[in-house]
Each structure stands twice: as structure tokens, then as C-alpha cells.
Amino acid sequence: MSTARKLQTRNHLEIDNLHLLPQTNQLRALHTIIRDRGARREDFVFYSGRIIRLLIETGLGLLPFEPCEVETPVGRRYEGRRFASQLCGVSIARAGESMEAELRAVCRSVRIGKILIQRDKTTKLPRLYYSSLPRDIARCHVLLLDPMLATGGTALAAIQVLLDRGVAEANIIFVNLIAVLEGIAAVTKRYPDVKIVTSSIEEGLNENAYMMPGIGDFGDRYFGTEA
């Protein structure tokens, strides 16, 4: 899949650098399980993990690669590929931490930073409370992890943290489970070189800024807590 590809949404908008997973029956079946309000927590964790693994693999496919030749067990040469840059993950706490295990499963030695951003109760604006990132993150391609992209406020704040640490905008891949066009537009308008990988584009936001049909509070459902 080309990093410069344009994806046409259901509303006939063309958005650069948006990568939607193929909407197969299998993916829809996985979404059916985790969207069910009566789903057991162990099922929610397991099946959302399967979707996250697909998202991570898609995100890795957007990284730069370079030629790498190896010799096979039968003595032939194989013209392969290998990652051409350093990689790190950054999860937006708390829900983004649910995606760390799937990243580690496919990139065993990957370093993972954390960013904590919460909405200020007075100003209603996202506020950075904590960040812990690799010292050399400016030289890395970054998989930014957060399951939900709703209004885009948290994502914009997290991306700015990475930019302030020297990460190139084009080296950020934002991986999320579900998104709405409002959030996608907010991110791509301010940071057009950031790539977005998602498994579903929702119908929209309701009056309380919840995604519809949605999935509920992903972090609470995944970690077994209550808001």
C-alpha cells in the first residue's frame, strides 16, 4: 500500500495518508464481537487484540525498507528487504497501552514511550501531564498508539509532543482502532504528512462527542474498570 495513496471515504472525501483496513467479513465479525455491549471482558481483550495486530502489521508496512540479500538453505540468493530506519512505539495512556502487547509481539525489542494527555476540566482543552520518550526518538519512525480518534484533540496534542522532540511529521504513523471523519480531518488538516491507520470509520459523533455506533470506553472495557 502506498504511503501517498488517497482513500475515498463514504462521504466521497479524499484524504491523503489515510489507510483503512480492508473491510472483510472477518474484520466485521471481529468488530461484531467487541462492539457487543454484552461481550465478556476476556473476549473483548482477545478479539480487539486480533484487530490491533492487523493494524500494527499495516503500520509496519508503511515504514521505509531497503534491499537485503540472503542465502537460502539450498544455496540460492534471495533479494529481500529489511527495515531501513529505527522504530519505536508511543502509547497515549491509558487506552493506548492496550496496543503495546501486539506491537511487542511482532517487534520484540521495540522501545515504547508514553504520553499522558487529559482534558482540562476548566478550559476543556487537552493538557499534557506526562511524557517519557526514547532519548533518540528524533531519529526514529514512530507508531503512535491510541484506539480511538474522535474529535482529534488528544491526537493533535500527542503529535505536537513528538514534533517538539524532533520527530519528523512524515515519520509518525498514528494507529487507532476506530475513527470518525471529524477527527481524521482535524489531524490531516494540521499535520498532513502524518499517516493514519484505522480499522473502521464510524458514522459520526453524538451530542456528547461519543462515536456512533461506537465501542464504548475502550480503556474501561479493556482493563476492566469503570469511568
Side-chain angles (χ1 to χ4, degrees):
M1 184 184 298
S2 169
T3 59
R5 138 168 136 69
K6 289 187 175 182
L7 181 76
Q8 191 170 20
T9 69
R10 63 170 61 89
N11 288 348
H12 307 293
L13 297 175
E14 288 189 343
I15 301 176
D16 289 322
N17 285 331
L18 174 61
H19 302 265
L20 178 66
L21 292 186
Q23 301 296 290
T24 64
N25 286 331
Q26 177 182 221
L27 180 61
R28 192 169 183 85
L30 296 175
H31 268 279
T32 300
I33 295 172
I34 65 174
R35 290 175 188 266
D36 185 348
R37 68 185 302 169
R40 299 182 303 172
R41 177 172 169 261
E42 54 266 39
D43 289 336
F44 183 86
V45 170
F46 178 79
Y47 291 104
S48 61
R50 286 185 57 185
I51 300 175
I52 292 168
R53 178 74 67 90
L54 295 173
L55 291 165
I56 294 294
E57 295 284 9
T58 299
L60 293 175
L62 301 178
L63 297 173
F65 290 81
E66 62 187 11
C68 177
E69 185 181 88
V70 297
E71 183 177 348
T72 73
V74 297
R76 295 291 298 273
R77 308 302 296 179
Y78 175 75
E79 298 290 342
R81 295 289 185 272
R82 65 183 174 192
F83 290 125
S85 65
Q86 296 186 63
L87 171 70
C88 78
V90 174
S91 64
I92 301 177
R94 169 184 66 142
E97 294 171 335
S98 64
M99 307 174 77
E100 294 178 3
E102 303 305 326
L103 176 57
R104 287 197 179 98
V106 295
C107 299
R108 290 177 292 180
S109 62
V110 69
R111 294 172 297 163
I112 299 179
K114 292 185 187 295
I115 296 174
L116 174 60
I117 295 172
Q118 293 182 341
R119 181 177 296 183
D120 188 281
K121 293 182 179 179
T122 303
T123 66
K124 307 300 182 184
L125 298 174
R127 177 180 173 186
L128 174 66
Y129 283 88
Y130 171 83
S131 68
S132 180
L133 304 171
R135 188 179 304 243
D136 62 345
I137 194 170
R139 299 200 299 267
C140 297
H141 276 71
V142 176
L143 293 187
L144 181 61
L145 310 174
D146 194 7
M148 316 281 278
L149 176 55
T151 62
T154 298
L156 292 174
I159 292 169
Q160 189 59 55
V161 171
L162 297 178
L163 296 179
D164 290 343
R165 286 291 300 268
V167 180
E169 184 178 317
N171 289 353
I172 300 172
I173 302 172
F174 182 37
V175 182
N176 66 91
L177 191 75
I178 62 175
V180 292
L181 288 176
E182 292 93 327
I184 293 169
V187 172
T188 56
K189 181 179 180 180
R190 186 179 301 181
Y191 305 118
D193 290 332
V194 170
K195 304 169 188 68
I196 299 175
V197 178
T198 190
S199 72
S200 176
I201 300 176
E202 303 293 277
E203 295 172 4
L205 299 172
N206 66 11
E207 62 277 7
N208 297 314
Y210 285 107
M211 284 187 271
M212 305 297 289
I215 200 171
D217 189 301
F218 188 92
D220 284 337
R221 296 186 70 191
Y222 188 94
F223 293 109
T225 58
E226 295 182 2

